[in-house]
Amino acid sequence: MAILLDGKALGLAIRETVKHDVDTILRETGVTPHLAVILVGDDPASQTYVKGKENACRNAGIRSTVIREPADVTESKLLSDIDALNADPDVHGILLQLPIPKHLDPDRIIPKIDVRKDVDGFTPENVAALANGRPRLVPCTPRGVMRVLDHYGIAVAGKDCVVVGRSQIVGKPMAALLLNGNGTVTVCHSKTRDLRVETRRADILVVAIGKTRMIDASYIKPGAVVIDVGISKVDGVIAGDVDFDSARTVAGWITPVPGGIGPMTIACLLENTLVCCRSLIGGPHD
Ligand code: NDP
């Protein structure tokens, strides 16, 4: 039976460290780290995620502000929100909650976020830095995955790593981080010819596809590390992209959902906010 990779416990430990660091920054500089979140429309899932981020900030002593815009907000209004946050010296991190309504193009809006306040690591400069192997601000979910591997002493170098999913926010930065860690990386997606053949080669399998419980034991090499990024709700129950009960009989290590990568994502968002704050006020980086 697979060993559980407990992202909830690790996430809480990271949040405690962040809280301690926030106290130190405040004591030494008088500055309270401050995250601004832009929320467009009233998508219930986005509202829940933003509430979770607000609570996490509050518990860590980080100030948070949510700028709420209606679903029909114009691009120019959003850009002026971003301009104001970029110019505000009291704001250290800026996050645009995704997805945004269809009439808005994230590729036209995200690049306007000040690269030094880009807590999500989605601006072209931060994406390029990661791709070039010199990461600065790294997207929170893949960063959370790497923190879990590191914490449990799971080496990446030389391993066959398979990432299922190639989104900008999870799959692609995940692949870049594993490659930077000297893994041999394969990225799979909806057009992959035989997914099972690819995933069964994986020493480390990261799944981020948004297909509830699709990856069962038949996709997994015995003893593999299985990281489930997926989050969906079925009949009121939170589930991942991995069929946990089936997969755990074959895997060597596995993250649960909930309690795996979700809490790590939030913890890494708080860490990224501190990284931004320190670099803006001239303190030491992490
Ligand atoms: P996207 O929908 O943006 O991307 C899904 C990816 O999966 C695409 O690359 C798609 O391929 C691929 N895919 C879809 N179906 C299949 C299939 N049957 N076989 C192989 N590949 C497939 O999703 P995200 O990356 O944004 O999110 C993925 C999951 O992770 C979701 O459940 C989301 O809720 C969750 N998530 C969790 C977070 C956390 O904090 N734990 C944070 C962010 C996301 P193609 O490119 O060809 O279309």
Side-chain angles (χ1 to χ4, degrees), residues 49 141 164-171 188-192 195 207-211 214 228-232 241 261-262 265:
Y49 288 134
T141 300
V164 191
R166 56 175 165 179
S167 69
Q168 302 289 350
I169 64 172
V170 187
C188 300
H189 45 78
S190 67
K191 307 291 186 293
T192 295
L195 184 63
V207 187
I209 50 180
K211 301 277 182 243
M214 188 182 116
D228 186 358
V229 174
I231 301 180
S232 48
D241 289 338
I261 301 307
T265 298

Side-chain angles (χ1 to χ4, degrees), residues 159-165 184-190 192-209 214-227 241-242 247 250-252:
K159 299 279 176 62
D160 281 326
C161 305
V162 175
V163 179
V164 191
T184 303
V185 181
T186 303
V187 182
C188 300
H189 45 78
S190 67
T192 295
R193 199 162 44 207
D194 191 339
L195 184 63
R196 214 179 253 104
V197 166
E198 303 297 338
T199 58
R200 283 186 66 88
R201 290 191 302 102
D203 301 312
I204 299 175
L205 175 63
V206 182
V207 187
I209 50 180
M214 188 182 116
I215 303 298
D216 63 16
S218 71
Y219 288 81
I220 296 167
K221 174 161 109 177
V225 177
V226 178
I227 306 282
D241 289 338
V242 173
V250 176

Side-chain angles (χ1 to χ4, degrees), residues 105-174:
D105 179 359
D107 290 341
R108 288 172 54 90
I109 297 165
I110 288 170
K112 303 295 183 197
I113 294 174
D114 184 330
V115 63
R116 296 166 307 164
K117 299 188 179 186
D118 172 27
V119 281
D120 263 338
F122 292 163
T123 56
E125 291 89 340
N126 281 321
V127 171
L130 176 59
N132 290 335
R134 284 187 291 277
R136 296 190 302 208
L137 288 157
V138 173
C140 303
T141 300
R143 179 175 158 135
V145 173
M146 297 307 282
R147 292 295 298 268
V148 167
L149 296 176
D150 183 55
H151 176 76
Y152 282 92
I154 297 168
V156 170
K159 299 279 176 62
D160 281 326
C161 305
V162 175
V163 179
V164 191
R166 56 175 165 179
S167 69
Q168 302 289 350
I169 64 172
V170 187
K172 282 179 183 158
M174 187 72 251

